[in-house]
Amino acid sequence: MAIRVQIYLFQARILFLVFVVSAERSDTRFLLTSNASSGARHSEEYCVMYDICGKRSDGKVLNCPSGSPSVKPDDMFSSKIQSMCPTISGNICCTEAQFDTLRTQVQQAIPFLVGCPACLRNFLNLFCELTCSPNQSLFINVTSVSKVNNNLTVAGIDFIITDAFGEGLYNSCKDVKFGTMNTRAIDFIGAGAKNFKEWFAFIGTRAAPNVPGSPYAINFRPSIAESSGMKPMNVSAYSCGDTSLGCSCGDCPSASVCSDYAPPSIRIQGSCSVRIGSLKAKCIEFSLAILYIILVSIFLGWGLFHRSRERNPAPRMKPMLNVMDGSELHSTNRPKDENLSSQVLEDVPQLINGVQLSIVQGYMSNFYRRYGTWVARHPTIILCSSLAIVLVLCLGLIRFKVETRPEKLWVGPGSKAAEEKQFFDSHLAPFYRIEQIVLATIPDANGISPSIVTETNIKLLFEIQKKVDGIRANFSGSMISLTDICMKPIGQDCATQSVLQYFKMDLRNYDDYGGVQHVEYCFQRPPYMHYTSADTCMSAFKAPLDPSTALGGFSGNNYSEASAFIVTYPVNNAIDKEGNETGRAVAWEKAFIQIVKDDLLPMMQSKNLTLSFSSESSIEEELKRESTADAITISISYLVMFAYISLTLGDSPRLSSFYISSKEICTRVEASALKRRLEIRRILLGLAGVMLVMLSVLGSVGFFSAIGVKSTLIIMEVIPFLVLAVGVDNMCILVHAVKRQPLELPLEGRISNALVEVGPSITLASLAEVLAFAVGTFIPMPACRVFSMFAALAVLLDFLLQVTAFVALIVFDFLRAEDRRIDCIPCIKISPSYADSDKGIAQRKPGLLARYMKEVHAPILSLWGVKLVVISVFVAFALTSIALCTRIQPGLEQKIVLPRDSYLQGYFNNVSEYLRIGPPLYFVVKNYNYSSESRQTNQLCSISQCNSDSLLNEIARASLIPESSYIAKPAASWLDDFLVWISPEAFGCCRKFTNGSYCPPNDQPPCCASEDGSCNLNGLCKDCTTCFLHSDLYNDRPSTAQFREKLPWFLTALPSADCSKGGHGAYTSSVELKGFESGIIQSSSFRTYHTPLNKQVDYVNSMRAAREFTSRVSDSLKIEIFPYSIFYMFFEQYLDIWRTALINLAIAIGAVFVVCLVITCSLWSSAIILLVLAMIVVDLMGVMAILNIQLNALSVVNLVMAVGIAVEFCVHTTHAFSVSSGDRNQRMKEALGTMGASVFSGITLTKLVGVIILCFSRTEVFVVYYFQMYLALVLLGFLHGLVFLPVVLSMCGPPSRCVLIDKREDQPSPAQQL
């Protein structure tokens, strides 16, 4: 069961994002400054900008306008320029200070683009030409200047550049990924530009003071008048598919090398259909319709033929005796001659009716005859010994425990998903706990929800946050606050996901930052701009806040229209669910839920807002509360069933004599009618029967508790009702069988004959039920497996108590009646004179229901027209149900398992309504060999030099078809970012001091003073150098030793402006370093996201798609890979739920068939029972489709139990039919007259009255899976058992076991005669 799944859906953005920063620590547009001059000479080898002449108030440097010739650099400076700008040689138009500024600024972009060399080269060429080209004046024109400190500085320029270069630049970079953020690099360095013109416009915008951006305006133009003497800059742009600077397929899908790896076509989950005119039907529906027409046609033809034969019998021939084929005496056909009548009259009295039983039935009858006699003589011994055994089993209740943890209830310990979760948690890190609040506006009359982003609501959110911060929970004497348990990825601040992070979670910053306008400003800024410490949009925990994680109810990127605030508190999780860390979190969560209920919820309602909330432990706590939610409903159900049992076990069906108060007894004890009614009531017997049912349940629970099996809430609430519903019919059948015996017989004879009459069928039905329930133990879901174990033993104990203790109680009850004692008060006897008036009871007439069955119901079913209609209707419904079965969806809605008044109901509704992102998806790689001798590095990564069919490239391709892959975007790759981080091009990332130790980027301590943000490039870090030169690497890949040494550096490196690729926070838990020195990383993960999953079938299909994808890639790469998401553990069962259901149903029905065959030794009877059971189950599945009941472990258990319960609707009638004499119609009437009333009153109505009460349950799971399904089962069982089965028996029932035995012969053995 997927109960906690939607709690995780709002965590689709990982909390630990790397820090992407901009120029001057806040400028991410990467606009690079140059010299410029007004009125400069536009010719080759001339500059328009040279040197730096000033700074803006915010510290951004400004170039000097200068129309001077280009200058020749010294050799050292020339080599520095060539290392970054290979297109520039000879003279240049920049000073070394300008070049250092250029180098410092572009290093912010390099980590984004270094994975695609063609894109990086084009990007660097753009700014190299702008800053240092010796022909700068040909394509740069200074359009405006400004005076700063009495110096003229450049204020605006025109940059003449061809569209061809712009197109080439954009096309080479548009698909390059930025792994840490699971998005495209263009979203960061180009604000998500859709074409090169938008990108150039973004780069050229002049930024306001203290706002990231260019210090002067750049107007990109494709052409200029020839008279100006200028011409566009037209440096060749490299294609991303260029073989010399080739990018990976993930960064350049259009590359020729990637042509053989085109995205797979979308798999359409369609079904075969047939069109007839305007009517379109599925193939299965069309096929079943054809099959139905054929079957009905054959049946009608056979019926007409058979009917014509009946009307025209063979002349002068007539069966002498109604003895069916297969009996010991054969039918004798003689000429129709009246002279033979005297012979017949003489012969008939010499024959008596007998029943030829099977060997097993014979031994069972012999056993029950002797046992019945013995128990009637020694009822006390039987009663005491049976109760003693059950009470011993009940002693196990002292070890009784209830399991409420969802993962222990709904996930099998041997499941693949559970093993993968255990591996992920133990080797990487367990998924964090989630505490969440959803604050939303109420829709207006038109159904439109107003925006939640208002000053009033934001300040209200600050009030909520203040109360949450003030929560103190007591755990073992310590007071626990949120800061004690929350996740703190970087620093000491909680990683709370809330729009309040735009104000550093401090109300004092609200007005200083600009209030609502500041929030909207942060909404519009790309997340990468939040990475700088100077940006006020950055969160308190020093990571960007993605608006989609803190807002809901918006469309596209219109965050200002959001109708809900979503506040998420990630809390540290632990593998040990019983440890102190988990205990501290649970204690705080309980206090959190309580304060929200008591304080926040009323406050929000007064503000005309809705508030929903949840914690990690909410579902477990609500499941515990569920145990008492329906106590009254269950109790009423038991009381109603008890009342009906007492009524049914009595002789009179009149309700007026059902209950008599003690006052009435005292005042009217002289009334003979009242006394007689009180004598024949069996209220105490009914109560004793109910108590036996409860003892059987307690004995089952006690036995399993003694051996250490924990119970569940469903067991405590459902099994007593289930066993009562299953066991009541046997009690009714036993009592009615005793009452049918002649009163002339002694009591032990009546008990003995009754057990012989119904004992075999009761045994058959009970064993079939036990086997059917036991089959449920094959279901892997623990809750359902344990439920089946408890139910099977309870039904077995109930059967044993019925044939022991309850038979003994019947003996006591009949002794009480014969002794003329009142039922409710056995100490009171009635006068013997009243008993004399009731001697006619020995000639007791059949009851009203029995007469109806034999005189009305059976004759109607004997009509040929009725038979044809019955068969046609039932077969039609069965075939329709088969077609409907294909529409049953797997899954289990989490709202169903919770009480209707649970606060989680509103939470789940809001999550579905406001959901905009999918759950995280991790691809976990086991035993990654990073050694230089292995090819696995290139088989996994997605940057330059990586295999085109690598794991990350395949994920990127799959994200292009989210409709079938359910993968929303390319994966964040620690491996790609690590390879970029150590790359010589990313010179601001992997650096080392002269002593070889790690040197952080220039904007981090100790290179930069953390308290005031001032950095001194000539200070401590001035001698830091890049970790590697190109010559140190082989094909841009580190050696085994280099990989081993630098990986820990990378995972501890903080992301910052100078290097956004630092792995701390983003990848801290993505790589297991334990034992990695050997060259093998035991486990690592690559994170992406599923598409939004709104339906249960979406969860199932997404998991199936992820596993199929991973299996294919793993087999191709010969690397062990598996997908992991938090909900997989709960949804794994649904991948094969149909297979599980069909196998268990086949085993259950097969087990019943084998039991019937062994006991009856009649393949014919067993086949008919098998047919009826199969039809009941199929029809029940059809009803499930009609009622939209999903297929899950609960419904599978119900279907399996339906096999056991349905046995009772057909076994007793079939057994009565087989031991009756006459033709098939006569035997059908006799069977309905004998057992029809018991099946209807003792089986159908007892279950019906108890089931109906469940419709008032406060828990939806009872209404759907126990009221609707059980009600459908009872009605279908009734219709098949009392309508369809009698018709089938009357048409093609098995031969009678009745035989004619010569009265003068010796009595046969019990195995041959009843």
Side-chain angles (χ1 to χ4, degrees):
M1 185 174 69
I3 295 190
R4 293 182 297 180
V5 170
Q6 294 215 24
I7 297 178
Y8 300 102
L9 295 181
F10 279 94
Q11 307 314 307
R13 305 288 186 187
I14 199 71
L15 296 176
F16 315 131
L17 305 175
V18 298
F19 287 3
V20 181
V21 290
S22 57
E24 303 300 326
R25 301 200 50 176
S26 62
D27 184 0
T28 50
R29 299 177 185 244
F30 311 112
L31 179 61
L32 310 176
T33 60
S34 308
N35 293 333
S37 66
S38 179
R41 176 181 174 182
H42 297 292
S43 61
E44 293 183 358
E45 299 295 333
Y46 263 81
C47 308
V48 293
M49 297 184 295
Y50 189 82
D51 208 351
I52 297 174
C53 289
K55 293 184 179 180
R56 297 198 326 177
S57 59
D58 57 2
K60 288 185 172 64
V61 297
L62 297 170
N63 294 334
C64 306
S66 173
S68 59
S70 58
V71 299
K72 184 175 180 61
D74 59 35
D75 292 341
M76 180 66 70
F77 185 25
S78 179
S79 62
K80 288 176 61 177
I81 293 176
Q82 282 288 303
S83 66
M84 193 174 76
C85 305
T87 60
I88 299 177
S89 59
N91 293 346
I92 58 173
C93 284
C94 62
T95 64
E96 193 162 0
Q98 283 181 282
F99 183 79
D100 288 340
T101 301
L102 169 66
R103 183 183 176 93
T104 301
Q105 292 175 341
V106 297
Q107 76 178 26
Q108 302 163 23
I110 287 174
F112 293 93
L113 307 176
V114 71
C116 182
C119 170
L120 178 61
R121 175 48 51 206
N122 291 333
F123 186 81
L124 292 178
N125 283 346
L126 173 68
F127 293 103
C128 285
E129 294 293 325
L130 170 66
T131 306
C132 295
S133 172
N135 301 317
Q136 189 185 73
S137 64
L138 290 179
F139 48 83
I140 300 292
N141 185 42
V142 176
T143 57
S144 63
V145 295
S146 61
K147 186 171 288 189
V148 177
N149 295 329
N150 295 321
N151 293 326
L152 286 179
T153 61
V154 175
I157 65 172
D158 283 342
F159 191 164
I160 316 303
I161 188 170
T162 62
D163 287 348
F165 181 85
E167 286 282 0
L169 170 64
Y170 179 79
N171 290 334
S172 66
C173 296
K174 64 180 181 180
D175 293 314
V176 176
K177 302 183 301 297
F178 179 48
T180 308
M181 291 285 291
N182 293 88
T183 188
R184 300 183 308 160
I186 197 71
D187 294 336
F188 292 83
I189 62 174
K194 301 298 187 295
N195 51 62
F196 78 92
K197 292 182 179 180
E198 292 184 8
W199 192 4
F200 284 169
F202 170 74
I203 294 174
T205 303
R206 183 179 186 275
N210 297 312
V211 174
S214 170
Y216 50 80
I218 304 176
N219 179 28
F220 289 90
R221 299 175 56 185
S223 62
I224 194 169
E226 293 184 5
S227 59
S228 66
M230 300 176 65
K231 58 182 180 181
M233 190 274 287
N234 192 23
V235 175
S236 298
Y238 293 92
S239 167
C240 63
D242 189 284
T243 55
S244 62
L245 294 172
C247 304
S248 68
C249 291
D251 292 334
C252 184
S254 61
S256 59
V257 70
C258 306
S259 58
D260 295 333
Y261 299 93
S265 58
I266 298 176
R267 296 176 299 174
I268 305 297
Q269 298 292 333
S271 58
C272 173
S273 60
V274 176
R275 183 177 294 277
I276 305 176
S278 60
L279 180 64
K280 183 178 179 180
K282 293 182 179 180
C283 289
I284 185 173
E285 297 170 352
F286 180 77
S287 302
L288 291 173
I290 297 298
L291 177 63
Y292 176 72
I293 294 174
I294 294 174
L295 291 177
V296 170
S297 300
I298 295 174
F299 175 71
L300 289 176
W302 175 83
L304 293 175
F305 173 75
H306 189 76
R307 185 65 174 163
S308 63
R309 288 189 59 186
E310 283 188 349
R311 292 179 177 176
N312 300 290
R316 302 174 61 83
M317 300 294 291
K318 181 179 180 180
M320 174 182 163
L321 295 172
N322 288 323
V323 181
M324 304 300 296
D325 294 339
S327 62
E328 291 187 352
L329 297 182
H330 299 281
S331 298
T332 305
N333 290 334
R334 297 185 179 183
K336 188 176 181 179
D337 193 339
E338 295 179 359
N339 294 332
L340 297 175
S341 60
S342 59
Q343 179 69 29
V344 172
L345 293 175
E346 291 177 2
D347 291 343
V348 170
Q350 298 178 5
L351 302 174
I352 62 172
N353 286 328
V355 178
Q356 184 179 10
L357 301 175
S358 67
I359 297 177
V360 177
Q361 286 178 311
Y363 281 112
M364 290 176 64
S365 297
N366 186 34
F367 167 77
Y368 277 120
R369 184 180 299 280
R370 294 178 181 177
Y371 171 73
T373 302
W374 194 85
V375 73
R377 293 174 180 172
H378 309 91
T380 304
I381 296 177
I382 293 293
L383 181 62
C384 294
S385 58
S386 59
L387 291 180
I389 294 174
V390 175
L391 291 175
V392 169
L393 292 177
C394 292
L395 293 177
L397 291 173
I398 60 177
R399 299 187 60 187
F400 175 77
K401 293 182 180 180
V402 178
E403 183 63 79
T404 58
R405 290 176 293 176
E407 64 273 13
K408 296 295 184 181
L409 291 174
W410 309 111
V411 182
S415 75
K416 182 179 178 181
E419 294 175 356
E420 291 170 348
K421 180 183 184 300
Q422 177 63 28
F423 181 90
F424 187 90
D425 290 350
S426 59
H427 288 266
L428 297 173
F431 202 82
Y432 44 84
R433 303 175 70 90
I434 300 299
E435 334 298 341
Q436 200 163 66
I437 293 175
V438 180
L439 181 66
T441 56
I442 298 176
D444 57 21
N446 298 322
I448 300 175
S449 298
S451 173
I452 192 78
V453 186
T454 65
E455 180 175 350
T456 301
N457 292 332
I458 293 176
K459 290 187 175 181
L460 189 62
L461 196 60
F462 271 112
E463 293 184 39
I464 294 176
Q465 185 61 45
K466 183 178 179 180
K467 287 187 175 293
V468 172
D469 289 336
I471 294 175
R472 297 294 183 272
N474 190 335
F475 177 74
S476 300
S478 301
M479 302 309 292
I480 308 300
S481 66
L482 178 61
T483 56
D484 297 325
I485 60 174
C486 69
M487 294 191 70
K488 301 170 184 176
I490 302 175
Q492 298 300 314
D493 292 288
C494 295
T496 301
Q497 298 290 286
S498 169
V499 293
L500 302 184
Q501 290 287 3
Y502 293 136
F503 304 101
K504 305 292 189 294
M505 303 296 289
D506 191 343
L507 179 60
R508 293 171 296 182
N509 292 331
Y510 181 80
D511 293 325
D512 296 340
Y513 285 6
V516 175
Q517 289 75 20
H518 173 69
V519 173
E520 295 177 347
Y521 164 75
C522 294
F523 289 164
Q524 301 305 318
R525 291 167 59 76
Y528 72 89
M529 289 190 176
H530 303 179
Y531 283 114
T532 66
S533 59
D535 188 18
T536 55
C537 293
M538 182 194 250
S539 67
F541 61 95
K542 298 180 177 59
L545 176 73
D546 190 330
S548 63
T549 65
L551 298 171
F554 56 88
S555 58
N557 293 327
N558 298 322
Y559 301 119
S560 297
E561 298 176 0
S563 57
F565 286 143
I566 302 167
V567 183
T568 305
Y569 304 100
V571 170
N572 290 317
N573 207 346
I575 298 177
D576 182 12
K577 302 303 180 183
E578 307 295 335
N580 288 337
E581 187 174 356
T582 300
R584 285 152 48 95
V586 170
W588 187 89
E589 288 165 358
K590 291 180 178 179
F592 167 73
I593 294 298
Q594 196 61 46
I595 197 169
V596 174
K597 285 182 177 180
D598 297 343
D599 297 345
L600 299 183
L601 191 58
M603 182 171 67
M604 296 305 108
Q605 291 172 345
S606 66
K607 304 291 185 180
N608 201 29
L609 297 171
T610 63
L611 180 70
S612 58
F613 49 96
S614 171
S615 71
E616 184 76 9
S617 57
S618 288
I619 291 177
E620 184 174 344
E621 295 300 322
E622 287 298 280
L623 288 177
K624 291 179 181 178
R625 189 173 70 86
E626 183 187 14
S627 61
T628 59
D630 292 301
I632 296 178
T633 303
I634 300 297
S635 300
I636 293 176
S637 177
Y638 292 153
L639 290 175
V640 171
M641 294 184 71
F642 159 67
Y644 179 78
I645 292 167
S646 301
L647 173 66
T648 304
L649 296 183
D651 290 335
S652 174
R654 290 173 292 180
L655 293 175
S656 60
S657 64
F658 189 76
Y659 286 111
I660 304 295
S661 67
S662 59
K663 181 178 180 181
E664 291 176 304
I665 295 174
C666 295
T667 57
R668 302 174 58 195
V669 72
E670 298 82 10
S672 62
L674 175 61
K675 290 180 178 180
R676 184 59 192 159
R677 290 172 186 173
L678 289 174
E679 179 193 337
I680 64 175
R681 288 293 95 213
R682 291 190 166 83
I683 297 175
L684 288 181
L685 183 61
L687 178 61
V690 174
M691 296 303 297
L692 291 179
V693 170
M694 297 304 167
L695 283 176
S696 66
V697 174
L698 293 176
S700 175
V701 175
F703 171 78
F704 284 110
S705 297
I707 62 176
V709 179
K710 291 184 179 181
S711 182
T712 67
L713 301 177
I714 294 179
I715 288 175
M716 295 189 295
E717 296 175 345
V718 177
I719 286 186
F721 162 78
L722 175 64
V723 177
L724 190 62
V726 169
V728 163
D729 55 350
N730 288 344
M731 292 190 288
C732 294
I733 290 171
L734 282 170
V735 173
H736 291 169
V738 175
K739 291 194 295 183
R740 281 197 299 268
Q741 306 304 316
L743 293 181
E744 298 84 13
L745 294 176
L747 180 58
E748 61 186 55
R750 282 178 279 161
I751 296 294
S752 176
N753 286 347
L755 286 177
V756 170
E757 177 184 343
V758 300
S761 63
I762 287 178
T763 304
L764 174 60
S766 298
L767 288 179
E769 289 166 354
V770 171
L771 283 177
F773 293 145
V775 168
T777 59
F778 292 101
I779 295 176
M781 182 181 289
C784 298
R785 184 176 67 251
V786 171
F787 175 83
S788 300
M789 293 164 51
F790 279 67
L793 182 57
V795 171
L796 178 61
L797 291 176
D798 186 51
F799 163 69
L800 295 176
L801 287 175
Q802 286 170 349
V803 297
T804 54
F806 189 72
V807 173
L809 290 172
I810 291 176
V811 174
F812 284 124
D813 187 73
F814 274 81
L815 290 175
R816 173 199 60 76
E818 292 177 357
D819 200 26
R820 301 179 301 281
R821 295 182 180 275
I822 296 176
D823 182 26
C824 294
I825 311 178
C827 59
I828 299 179
K829 297 180 60 174
I830 64 173
S831 172
S833 60
Y834 297 129
D836 295 339
S837 63
D838 292 318
K839 286 184 178 180
I841 196 69
Q843 290 78 33
R844 184 185 296 111
K845 295 182 180 180
L848 178 63
L849 188 57
R851 293 199 302 272
Y852 163 78
M853 286 290 176
K854 190 169 186 178
E855 299 172 8
V856 179
H857 189 73
I860 292 177
L861 295 181
S862 299
L863 300 176
W864 264 102
V866 174
K867 292 181 181 180
L868 295 177
V869 172
V870 168
I871 296 296
S872 300
V873 170
F874 276 80
V875 171
F877 189 67
L879 295 179
T880 302
S881 296
I882 293 175
L884 290 173
C885 286
T886 60
R887 303 182 182 183
I888 299 177
Q889 296 291 341
L892 176 62
E893 294 292 344
Q894 53 265 45
K895 295 188 293 185
I896 287 181
V897 301
L898 299 169
R900 290 177 176 176
D901 60 349
S902 172
Y903 62 86
L904 289 177
Q905 297 286 359
Y907 171 75
F908 286 132
N909 290 334
N910 284 348
V911 165
S912 299
E913 180 179 358
Y914 301 122
L915 177 65
R916 294 296 182 270
I917 46 182
L921 168 62
Y922 299 88
F923 289 96
V924 181
V925 177
K926 301 173 70 173
N927 300 321
Y928 158 44
N929 186 346
Y930 64 80
S931 66
S932 54
E933 295 80 13
S934 172
R935 298 184 299 112
Q936 291 190 1
T937 295
N938 287 340
Q939 288 180 316
L940 296 177
C941 64
S942 63
I943 60 174
S944 178
Q945 306 298 325
C946 298
N947 293 359
S948 57
D949 62 343
S950 68
L951 170 64
L952 291 165
N953 279 331
E954 291 292 339
I955 295 173
R957 291 191 192 95
S959 67
L960 299 177
I961 47 171
E963 300 86 353
S964 59
S965 69
Y966 293 90
I967 297 176
K969 54 182 64 179
S973 170
W974 68 267
L975 182 57
D976 283 356
D977 285 355
F978 171 63
L979 295 177
V980 169
W981 187 79
I982 65 173
S983 172
E985 281 89 354
F987 45 80
C989 292
C990 185
R991 306 198 307 167
K992 59 184 178 180
F993 288 110
T994 54
N995 62 3
S997 60
Y998 172 64
C999 175
N1002 284 327
D1003 59 351
Q1004 293 183 23
C1007 303
C1008 183
S1010 59
E1011 62 274 5
D1012 57 9
S1014 61
C1015 303
N1016 183 3
L1017 298 182
N1018 296 319
L1020 180 64
C1021 300
K1022 66 177 182 178
D1023 293 327
C1024 288
T1025 59
T1026 57
C1027 293
F1028 304 111
L1029 301 176
H1030 280 288
S1031 59
D1032 297 328
L1033 304 176
Y1034 179 73
N1035 288 335
D1036 293 332
R1037 297 293 181 262
S1039 66
T1040 305
Q1042 291 168 342
F1043 198 113
R1044 183 188 303 117
E1045 179 187 8
K1046 297 304 184 290
L1047 181 60
W1049 288 16
F1050 167 72
L1051 295 177
T1052 56
L1054 291 171
S1056 66
D1058 284 352
C1059 181
S1060 60
K1061 291 292 186 178
H1064 185 68
Y1067 300 123
T1068 301
S1069 59
S1070 295
V1071 185
E1072 181 185 23
L1073 293 181
K1074 180 180 179 181
F1076 89 108
E1077 296 86 357
S1078 63
I1080 302 293
I1081 295 177
Q1082 296 183 18
S1083 61
S1084 63
S1085 65
F1086 302 95
R1087 184 193 68 254
T1088 182
Y1089 304 97
H1090 278 301
T1091 54
L1093 309 175
N1094 298 319
K1095 300 178 181 178
Q1096 294 281 296
V1097 68
D1098 292 337
Y1099 289 98
V1100 179
N1101 290 338
S1102 66
M1103 182 179 183
R1104 179 180 289 109
R1107 284 194 168 180
E1108 290 176 355
F1109 169 84
T1110 306
S1111 176
R1112 174 175 61 83
V1113 175
S1114 183
D1115 291 342
S1116 173
L1117 302 180
K1118 302 298 186 292
I1119 300 175
E1120 190 174 359
I1121 308 168
F1122 68 85
Y1124 171 74
S1125 190
I1126 192 66
F1127 68 88
Y1128 283 3
M1129 185 173 61
F1130 300 103
F1131 281 84
E1132 183 185 36
Q1133 57 178 305
Y1134 304 123
L1135 296 178
D1136 298 314
I1137 192 67
W1138 272 108
R1139 179 174 174 271
T1140 300
L1142 295 177
I1143 290 177
N1144 281 276
L1145 287 174
I1147 294 175
I1149 295 176
V1152 172
F1153 174 77
V1154 171
V1155 171
C1156 293
L1157 186 61
V1158 169
I1159 293 180
T1160 64
C1161 293
S1162 171
L1163 182 62
W1164 202 327
S1165 298
S1166 302
I1168 290 177
I1169 293 174
L1170 179 67
L1171 172 66
V1172 176
L1173 289 181
M1175 290 185 65
I1176 291 176
V1177 172
V1178 168
D1179 291 350
L1180 182 58
M1181 295 179 72
V1183 173
M1184 287 175 58
I1186 295 173
L1187 298 178
N1188 293 320
I1189 298 177
Q1190 295 172 309
L1191 187 67
N1192 48 57
L1194 289 176
S1195 52
V1196 170
V1197 168
N1198 285 343
L1199 289 171
V1200 172
M1201 289 191 299
V1203 176
I1205 295 175
V1207 168
E1208 300 184 358
F1209 289 98
C1210 50
V1211 165
H1212 302 296
T1213 303
T1214 304
H1215 177 73
F1217 178 84
S1218 65
V1219 298
S1220 301
S1221 61
D1223 61 23
R1224 287 191 174 98
N1225 280 329
Q1226 292 172 339
R1227 291 162 59 201
M1228 181 264 287
K1229 294 178 183 178
E1230 183 66 25
L1232 284 178
T1234 302
M1235 296 305 300
S1238 295
V1239 170
F1240 182 75
S1241 62
I1243 299 177
T1244 304
L1245 292 183
T1246 51
K1247 293 175 174 60
L1248 195 61
V1249 295
V1251 166
I1252 290 177
I1253 303 299
L1254 293 180
C1255 72
F1256 301 103
S1257 172
R1258 295 168 59 190
T1259 305
E1260 195 72 16
V1261 69
F1262 280 96
V1263 176
V1264 174
Y1265 291 97
Y1266 296 102
F1267 167 65
Q1268 293 181 359
M1269 286 195 70
Y1270 280 17
L1271 179 62
L1273 170 61
V1274 171
L1275 295 178
L1276 289 172
F1278 160 72
L1279 292 174
H1280 283 78
L1282 295 181
V1283 178
F1284 179 73
L1285 177 61
V1287 170
V1288 172
L1289 292 174
S1290 68
M1291 297 179 65
C1292 54
S1296 174
R1297 291 187 178 274
C1298 266
V1299 295
L1300 298 178
I1301 304 174
D1302 191 342
K1303 184 177 180 181
R1304 292 164 295 184
E1305 295 179 0
D1306 295 337
Q1307 294 292 327
S1309 67
Q1312 297 175 318
Q1313 179 180 352
L1314 173 62

